[in-house]
Amino acid sequence: MELRHLRSFIAAAEELHFGRAAQRVFVSQPALSRQIQALEGEVGTPLFDRSGRVVRLTSAGEALLERARYADRAVDDALDAARRAGRGETGRVVVGYTDSALHGPLAPAIAAFRIERPGVGVVLLETASADQPDALRSGRIDVAFAAAEPGEVEGQDSAVLYRVDSFVAVPHSHSLATRSGPTGHTEGPVPLADLAGEPFVMPSLARDPILYDGIVRACGQAGFAPRIAQEASGAFTMLSLVAAGVGVAVLPGTVAGSFSRDGVGLRELSGGFTRLEMRMSWTPDATSPALRTFVDAVVAAC
């Protein structure tokens, strides 16, 4: 059965006039009559009663009409769904992120994409930065967000979204929290070397090795090895441990600015590990239009 035959039948059944029906489907009347005859041949019974002056549907034609309308709508819906998927208006994007990633401009960018593309399901999955490459390759996630040190070469399947300064979080009673600058106010960045000998609250090595290794390497370049008091899996936990006096913590500025924690002072860092990049990576050779629209929207928003 050809779709054009079904649509010609619907037009003829609704118009009950083959001439008007032919105009409606943009064919000649003889062509429409042949299509109806071909359909009747497939059904095996007449669909129209042509014996009188007025064309009428037979009982078989009446039985076919509503189902033919349903089939025609289903075909249109299927074609529309395919076109929308091809434009990236529907689909699913699984986002892997680290704890430090959904701070700053990234969360509003994802929220705006959800509003702009309501047909695309965005699934957020917290994923350790160490696990993100394998998760991308295996297809468990489609796109990944993690902080990284500057200097990596940007590839076709990754992009630097923004750069951010690093801060040190210290207990309010700590001398670094109250140190004054030339104007008498607490101001100016703290040299990383001033943290030598301090106990450190570090991001989890297992979950965020990029931040962990970057802090250790920067401390080494500043002339000391950090004395690690405790590791923590999230920024809020790290700040809570700082407030409890466990140690000091180095955090991206977007993370530090996202939390207000009693008992914690924040100071900008200078001298090593002062800049971080928020990097977005996505599935190599990805062909999903939904993923492509998501990537483009996040790059434009950040």
Side-chain angles (χ1 to χ4, degrees), residues 16-209:
L16 293 177
H17 188 285
F18 279 27
R20 291 195 299 270
Q23 292 177 346
R24 181 168 144 183
V25 294
F26 305 104
V27 299
S28 66
Q29 184 171 335
L32 181 132
S33 296
R34 288 193 297 271
Q35 291 174 11
I36 298 296
Q37 290 170 359
L39 184 59
E40 288 175 327
E42 287 193 60
V43 175
T45 187
L47 300 173
F48 293 93
D49 179 359
R50 305 173 180 81
S51 60
R53 295 174 60 115
V54 179
V55 176
R56 292 185 175 86
L57 282 171
T58 64
S59 57
E62 290 176 350
L64 178 62
L65 178 58
E66 190 55 39
R67 292 168 177 80
R69 286 169 172 155
Y70 177 83
D72 188 37
R73 288 193 298 269
V75 169
D76 284 340
D77 289 345
L79 293 174
D80 181 62
R83 294 186 185 104
R84 293 181 64 212
R87 294 193 297 263
E89 296 174 4
T90 61
R92 184 170 180 262
V93 178
V94 182
V95 177
Y97 68 94
T98 61
D99 176 73
S100 60
L102 292 186
H103 302 280
L106 185 53
I110 294 176
F113 179 82
R114 286 180 181 273
I115 295 172
E116 182 182 346
R117 301 278 180 163
V120 178
V122 179
V123 180
L124 299 175
L125 182 65
E126 187 170 1
T127 311
S129 60
D131 297 334
Q132 287 181 350
D134 284 341
L136 285 170
R137 283 190 292 268
S138 67
R140 190 162 63 92
I141 61 175
D142 301 307
V143 62
F145 296 102
E149 288 187 273
E152 296 182 25
V153 177
E154 189 171 348
Q156 293 182 341
D157 53 1
S158 69
V160 174
L161 299 177
Y162 56 87
R163 293 171 175 84
V164 63
D165 293 323
S166 294
F167 280 70
V168 59
V170 299
H172 264 318
S173 59
H174 196 285
S175 62
L176 290 177
T178 57
R179 179 186 295 176
S180 298
T183 62
H185 300 287
T186 303
E187 62 178 26
V190 173
L192 185 61
D194 284 9
L195 302 181
E198 296 285 349
F200 272 68
V201 176
M202 296 284 283
S204 168
L205 174 60
R207 295 198 57 80
D208 209 343

Side-chain angles (χ1 to χ4, degrees), residues 171 198-201 227-230 238 240-248:
E198 296 285 349
F200 272 68
V201 176
R227 181 161 60 89
I228 299 171
Q230 190 163 336
M238 291 176 69
S240 296
L241 291 170
V242 171
V246 175
V248 302

